């Protein structure tokens, strides 16, 4: 999962639980994950391309803007 | 025997197949097999779960030892119907729908299996409760206006708040939609009332405008129809009039043709009459006018000839008179010229003679003048010499000279003094002979006075070497005094 790229579907930011859509090769599908900012910074609006920095199973990822 | 062996083989094969079928379980694409009853390791879940999860493939299950249960991975739907209160304290009724499913990863399936394996039908209710709590909390921080205008924000915040809990449940929210926000108090309706009224007003205005435009268009259409009808009527009337005119002309064609032929006849008769009149006029011209003109011409020609003859005679007479007068004038002119020439010649001769005489006289006068001038010059020079000598003498001895002069001119002096009495016709002397002698003495004294004056002048002329003050006191004493002589008046 780490290193996967996806896009934001729910605003990711400080104090928010965002949502990103990521492709999961093991299950050959795109799934939604709860997303947090890997590095505190600006909010990521829906549509922003992101990369997964860390994955906490089952469905939480820490992302950074691509 | 062989058949028995074959039958047994087939039976055993069938038994094996049946046993395999009993032991082999295949997971459908939309389900996960939860196999429990033996120690297993699940991928990514770690140790200690105690069950095995199989998705999308088959697995052997030991009947009687292991238990296989299915967990549906299908979509589930939970309708939200939540009573909320906004930050303004206004109760609202939020309706929505949550579409969720069990996560595809092993952890989510394990979480969901442990929570919902026997309560899969209750999954929607649980999810509803989770979302209802979060929704109330979020709506409590918003206003009705925010909820209406930014429904996406409400959805996003709700989804974010419940995401973690859904993750614990092993569920994934595929969709969350707030479908309806109901307002039992009518707040939203009242909120929308001005806008609705404005919209209604605009709609009514638009409708009225459209109605007006439609009416205008209709009326314009009616007017155009009426205009078209009028134009058509006018054209029809025009065509009818043309038709009637043509009909009338057709009806009048016969009489018109008759009249035209009659007119032609009249024209021809008129022409004949004109020709006849012309012929008669020509006849009269030839019979009457031409002879009359000839006679008049003859008479006029004769009169002209007579007049010309008389004029010629008069002109000849005048010419003759003119010529005679000219000849006479020439003759007189020539005679006058001759006389003038003669007079001129005589004048010239006389002038010449006069000039010669004048020149001779002038020469004579010149000679005389020269002689006189010479004589006068000589006389002047002599007088000048005399004066000069006299002056010298005066300079040397004035008294002697004056005495000499007086002696020389005494007779003239006495004569001049006597002349004063020469013109006296009657003289009355009051004192006889003494008076007479006194009077003469005075006359002579006058001469002496003149002598004194002469001396004074001479003194002045001599550069005032001897001013008048030097004159002899005798002369001053001899200055005559005014003396009145009584004269008897007549």
């Amino acid at each position: 999962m780490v290193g996967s790229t996806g896009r934001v579907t729910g605003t990711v930011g400080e104090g928010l639980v965002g949502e990103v859509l990521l492709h999961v090769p093991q299950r050959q599908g795109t799934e939604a994950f709860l997303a947090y900012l890997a590095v505190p910074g600006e909010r990521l609006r829906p549509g922003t391309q992101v990369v997964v920095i860390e994955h906490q199973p089952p469905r939480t990822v820490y992302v950074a803007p691509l | 025997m062989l058949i028995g062996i074959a039958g047994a083989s087939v039976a055993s094969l069938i038994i094996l197949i049946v046993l395999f079928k009993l032991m082999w379980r295949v997971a459908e694409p939309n389900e996960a097999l939860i196999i429990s009853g033996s120690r297993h390791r699940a991928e990514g879940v770690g140790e200690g779960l105690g069950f095995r999860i199989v998705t999308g493939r088959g697995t052997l299950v030991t009947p009687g030892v292991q238990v296989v249960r299915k967990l549906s991975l299908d979509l589930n739907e939970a309708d939200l119907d939540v009573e909320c209160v906004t930050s303004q304290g206004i109760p609202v009724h939020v309706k929505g729908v949550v579409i969720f499913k069990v996560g595809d990863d092993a952890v989510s399936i394990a979480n969901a299996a442990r929570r919902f394996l026997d309560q899969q039908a209750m999954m929607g209710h649980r999810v509803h409760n989770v979302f209802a709590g979060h929704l109330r909390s979020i709506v409590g921080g918003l206003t009705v206006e925010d909820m209406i205008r930014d429904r996406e924000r409400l959805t996003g915040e709700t989804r974010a708040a419940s995401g973690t809990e859904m993750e614990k449940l092993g569920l994934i929210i595929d969709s969350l939609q707030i479908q309806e926000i109901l307002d039992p108090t009518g707040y939203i309706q009242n909120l929308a009332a001005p806008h609705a009224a404005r919209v209604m007003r605009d709609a009514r205005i638009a409708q009225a405008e459209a109605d007006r435009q439609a009416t205008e268009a209709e009326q314009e259409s009616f007017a155009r129809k009426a205009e078209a009808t009028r134009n058509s009527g006018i054209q029809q009337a025009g065509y009818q009039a043309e038709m009637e005119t043509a009909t009338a002309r057709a009806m009048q064609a016969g009489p018109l043709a008759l009249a035209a032929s009659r007119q032609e006849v009249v024209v021809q008769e008129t022409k004949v009459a004109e020709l006849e009149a012309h012929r008669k006029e020509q006849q009269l011209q030839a019979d009457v006018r031409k002879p009359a003109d000839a006679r008049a011409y003859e008479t006029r020609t004769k009169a002209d000839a007579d007049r010309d003859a008389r004029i010629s005679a008069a002109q000849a007479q005048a010419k003759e008179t003119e010529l005679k007068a000219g000849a006479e004038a020439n003759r007189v002119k020539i005679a006058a010229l001759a006389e003038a020439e003669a007079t001129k010649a005589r004048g010239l001769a006389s002038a010449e003679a006069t000039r010669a005489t004048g020149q001779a006289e002038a020469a004579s006068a010149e000679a005389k003048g020269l002689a006189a001038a010479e004589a006068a010059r000589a006389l002047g020079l002599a007088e000048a010499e005399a004066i000069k000598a006299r002056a010298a003498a005066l300079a040397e001895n004035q008294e002697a000279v004056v005495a000499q002069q007086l002696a020389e001119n005494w007779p003239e002096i006495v004569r001049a003094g006597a002349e004063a009495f020469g013109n006296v016709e009657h003289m009355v002397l009051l004192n006889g002979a003494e008076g007479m002698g006194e009077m003469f003495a005075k006359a002579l004294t006058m001469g002496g006075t003149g002598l004194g004056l002469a001396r004074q002048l001479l003194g002045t002329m001599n550069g005032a070497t001897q001013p008048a003050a030097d004159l002899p006191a005798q002369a001053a004493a001899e200055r005559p005094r005014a003396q009145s002589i009584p004269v008897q008046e007549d």
Side-chain angles (χ1 to χ4, degrees):
Chain A
M1 288 296 297
V2 175
S4 301
T5 58
R7 61 185 169 84
V8 177
T9 53
T11 305
V12 180
E14 238 173 314
L16 293 177
V17 180
E19 187 183 81
V20 295
L21 276 180
L22 297 173
H23 177 68
V24 184
Q26 296 87 347
R27 295 188 287 273
Q28 296 182 349
T30 301
E31 298 177 9
F33 288 82
L34 301 176
Y36 297 89
L37 278 175
V39 180
E42 293 184 352
R43 289 188 172 193
L44 305 179
R45 300 286 173 191
T48 309
Q49 294 285 329
V50 293
V51 59
V52 176
I53 304 298
E54 188 181 346
H55 177 221
Q56 284 187 353
R59 312 206 62 82
T60 301
V61 292
Y62 289 81
V63 297
L66 193 61
Chain B
M1 182 65 183
L2 188 60
I3 296 171
I5 294 170
S9 299
V10 170
S12 58
L13 182 62
I14 291 171
I15 290 169
L16 283 175
I17 291 171
V18 169
L19 283 175
F20 182 78
K21 285 289 288 182
L22 288 174
M23 293 176 67
W24 188 253
R25 297 297 175 88
V26 178
E28 296 293 331
N30 62 342
E31 66 182 9
L33 296 180
I34 310 297
I35 303 166
S36 59
S38 64
R39 192 171 179 179
H40 294 287
R41 288 191 303 175
E43 294 176 3
V45 178
E47 298 291 336
L49 275 179
F51 56 87
R52 187 155 54 99
I53 299 169
V54 176
T55 56
R57 60 184 174 84
T59 185
L60 281 174
V61 176
T62 307
V65 177
Q66 294 178 322
V67 176
V68 178
R69 305 178 81 170
K70 293 181 183 178
L71 181 64
S72 174
L73 301 181
D74 285 339
L75 276 182
N76 289 294
E77 181 179 312
D79 292 328
L80 295 178
D81 191 356
V82 186
E83 298 278 347
C84 307
V85 178
T86 66
S87 64
Q88 303 152 309
I90 298 169
V92 292
H93 200 160
V94 179
K95 286 187 176 180
V97 62
V98 182
I99 297 174
F100 62 94
K101 71 184 287 295
V102 176
D104 293 326
D105 56 299
V107 177
S108 298
I109 291 171
N111 288 343
R114 286 192 167 179
R115 289 169 177 80
F116 299 114
L117 194 58
D118 288 335
Q119 299 178 1
Q120 292 187 42
M122 301 291 289
M123 203 180 285
H125 183 65
R126 304 283 185 268
V127 170
H128 175 272
N129 289 337
V130 170
F131 273 86
H134 288 294
L135 202 55
R136 283 196 190 94
S137 161
I138 292 166
V139 170
L142 296 175
T143 63
V144 177
E145 288 83 356
D146 292 337
M147 290 166 60
I148 294 169
R149 292 170 188 163
D150 197 0
R151 195 169 292 188
E152 186 65 27
R153 179 185 169 193
L154 176 63
T155 305
E157 290 189 3
T158 306
R159 194 168 180 171
S162 58
T164 309
E165 295 178 4
M166 294 294 282
E167 183 184 0
K168 290 177 187 173
L169 298 177
L171 300 176
I172 298 171
I173 306 165
D174 273 354
S175 175
L176 168 62
Q177 291 179 353
I178 303 298
Q179 293 175 328
E180 199 172 3
I181 298 172
L182 298 175
D183 173 28
T185 61
Y187 182 85
I188 296 173
Q189 191 174 357
N190 292 333
L191 200 67
H195 182 66
R198 190 160 55 246
V199 170
M200 190 177 295
R201 179 199 64 192
D202 293 342
R204 287 177 61 191
I205 289 172
Q207 187 174 0
E209 180 69 16
D211 190 21
R212 183 182 64 79
Q213 290 180 355
T215 304
E216 283 181 2
E218 281 180 0
Q219 294 302 321
E220 189 176 356
S221 174
F222 290 156
R224 288 188 177 176
K225 281 170 68 177
E227 184 182 3
T229 305
R230 182 201 65 185
N231 292 339
S232 173
I234 290 171
Q235 282 188 342
Q236 287 180 3
Y239 295 152
Q240 187 67 30
E242 287 180 4
M243 288 170 60
E244 290 176 355
T245 304
T247 305
R249 282 181 182 170
M251 290 176 66
Q252 295 295 329
L256 277 174
L258 187 61
S261 61
R262 175 65 184 159
Q263 182 183 9
E264 187 66 23
V265 169
V266 171
V267 167
Q268 294 299 328
E269 286 177 356
T270 304
K271 283 185 178 177
V272 169
E274 286 178 353
L275 288 172
E276 186 68 24
H278 185 67
R279 188 187 64 77
K280 285 183 178 178
E281 183 182 357
Q282 294 296 325
Q283 186 67 36
L284 286 172
Q285 290 274 354
D287 294 346
V288 179
R289 186 169 181 180
K290 292 293 182 183
D293 285 347
R295 285 194 295 276
Y297 179 72
E298 181 182 2
T299 305
R300 190 165 60 247
T301 305
K302 284 180 178 179
D304 288 345
D306 291 343
R307 184 196 63 193
D308 292 345
R310 286 196 299 275
I311 288 169
S312 297
Q315 285 178 346
Q317 185 68 29
K319 191 68 178 177
E320 183 179 357
T321 305
E322 183 182 355
L323 289 173
K324 281 180 180 178
E328 184 63 23
N330 273 336
R331 189 183 62 77
V332 171
K333 185 177 178 183
I334 290 168
L337 286 173
E339 183 65 24
E341 197 65 28
T343 305
K344 182 180 178 183
R346 281 195 296 274
L348 286 173
S350 175
E352 189 64 26
T354 305
R355 188 171 64 85
T357 306
Q359 284 179 351
E361 288 178 354
S364 171
E366 185 181 0
K368 285 180 181 176
L370 286 173
E374 192 63 29
R377 180 168 172 271
L379 185 58
L381 287 172
E383 287 181 353
E385 284 296 328
I387 291 168
K388 189 176 178 182
R390 194 172 298 145
L394 282 170
E396 291 176 358
N397 191 359
Q398 287 181 348
E399 292 294 330
V401 172
V402 172
Q404 188 182 355
Q405 287 289 332
L406 286 173
E408 286 177 356
N409 295 312
W410 194 254
E412 283 78 9
I413 292 169
V414 172
R415 191 178 300 121
E419 280 178 357
F421 303 96
N423 293 327
V424 176
E425 191 173 354
H426 300 287
M427 182 181 294
V428 178
L429 296 177
L430 301 176
N431 48 359
E434 190 179 355
M436 192 67 181
E438 191 177 7
M439 191 177 58
F440 276 116
K442 286 182 181 177
L444 291 175
T445 303
M446 291 172 66
T449 305
L451 182 59
L453 287 172
R455 280 181 181 168
Q456 191 175 356
L457 287 171
L458 284 172
T460 307
M461 289 170 62
N462 288 331
T465 53
Q466 292 179 349
D470 296 338
L471 290 175
Q474 183 184 357
E478 291 176 358
R479 186 173 300 165
R481 292 174 296 177
Q483 188 174 4
S484 61
I485 302 170
V487 177
Q488 186 179 8
E489 292 182 355
D490 293 338

